[in-house]
Amino acid sequence: MEGKYAVITGSSQGLGKSFAYELAKNGWNLILISLPDENLQTISKRLHSLFGIRAFYYETDLAIKENVMAASDWINGNFDVQMLINNAGIGGTKRFDEASSAYIEKIIQLNVLATTLLTHQLLPNLKRQEKSYVLNVSSLAAFSPIAYKTVYPASKAFIHSFSRGLYQELKDTSVFVSVVNPGPMRTNPDATKRINEQGIFANLTALDPDRLARYCIRQLTKRDTVIMVNPLSWLFLKILPVWIRLPLLSNKIKKELR
């Protein structure tokens, strides 16, 4: 375990933080990446104290291409990476014609470009290892367009497709690629409030980030290519034709604007 490092983006809170704790419990050394001023230093020290692992942190905004490249150079120059978890992402609910160009660009830059470029830049490092893993965090939103979110589901559809294609391309190498498509998670009081307001089905299918992280790591190391965590919701999205689910989902999201 000594030389084993896992890179986790968006690791200061929510699912990313849960991934950090789960891997640390299992003896992985960590490289945590998140925005500045999100308490990464404290999290790193605590993980070292609790589990005796080495935890390094790198604070940057991955929505800026140059920052992704700089982070990649730092990682490649200092560490052997055996796992990459692309967890950082951003969503939001806005009418498309009322969203600023900066808002739209940030979703695409972080959800699409940062994930793609970081994977690309770290891939030679990952391929040098005897066995290594890439886990990309997509979303159930990848399986349906949704009005008033528009760009976010499209960005997550990209991540799902990108992950599946990359898995096929690398399946005969030492690098195993997987993707998880979680639905709503109780990551903080605001998220929990939104889930509660969406009714019984949302409450039944809502996920706990700690349990999700534990399950994802287990399935990843078992080489599960698509990690299913919301089978009922996935079945709902697959069975209902788009002309039914599109207005149904969009009307639920529209209520968030009121």
Side-chain angles (χ1 to χ4, degrees), residues 77-98:
N78 293 284
F79 305 98
D80 290 323
V81 177
Q82 288 182 277
M83 184 179 291
L84 168 62
I85 300 181
N86 286 303
N87 169 73
I90 188 171
T93 303
K94 286 182 183 291
R95 296 180 186 275
F96 185 72
D97 58 357
E98 293 177 359

Side-chain angles (χ1 to χ4, degrees), residues 9 49 52 65 98 116 123-124 141 159 169 171 186 188 245:
T9 67
S49 175
K65 176 186 173 183
E98 293 177 359
T116 308
L123 189 55
I159 294 302
E169 189 171 327
K171 70 175 186 176
R186 300 183 185 278
N188 55 54
R245 62 179 144 88

Side-chain angles (χ1 to χ4, degrees), residues 187-256:
T187 53
N188 55 54
D190 286 342
T192 300
K193 181 183 177 184
R194 286 199 303 273
I195 291 167
N196 291 338
E197 289 173 348
Q198 288 176 2
I200 295 173
F201 188 76
N203 275 276
L204 287 173
T205 57
L207 300 167
D208 172 78
D210 292 339
R211 292 179 64 185
L212 176 57
R214 191 178 312 119
Y215 180 74
C216 284
I217 298 303
R218 185 169 72 243
Q219 294 305 110
L220 180 65
T221 55
K222 287 181 177 180
R223 302 177 71 83
D224 188 354
T225 56
V226 178
I227 300 172
M228 296 301 299
V229 292
N230 289 94
L232 287 176
S233 300
W234 177 83
L235 190 61
F236 165 81
L237 292 172
K238 283 292 184 180
I239 290 176
L240 278 187
V242 68
W243 58 269
I244 293 177
R245 62 179 144 88
L246 177 54
L248 190 64
L249 292 171
S250 299
N251 287 335
K252 281 185 173 291
I253 298 301
K254 188 176 182 181
K255 292 178 182 177
E256 294 182 20

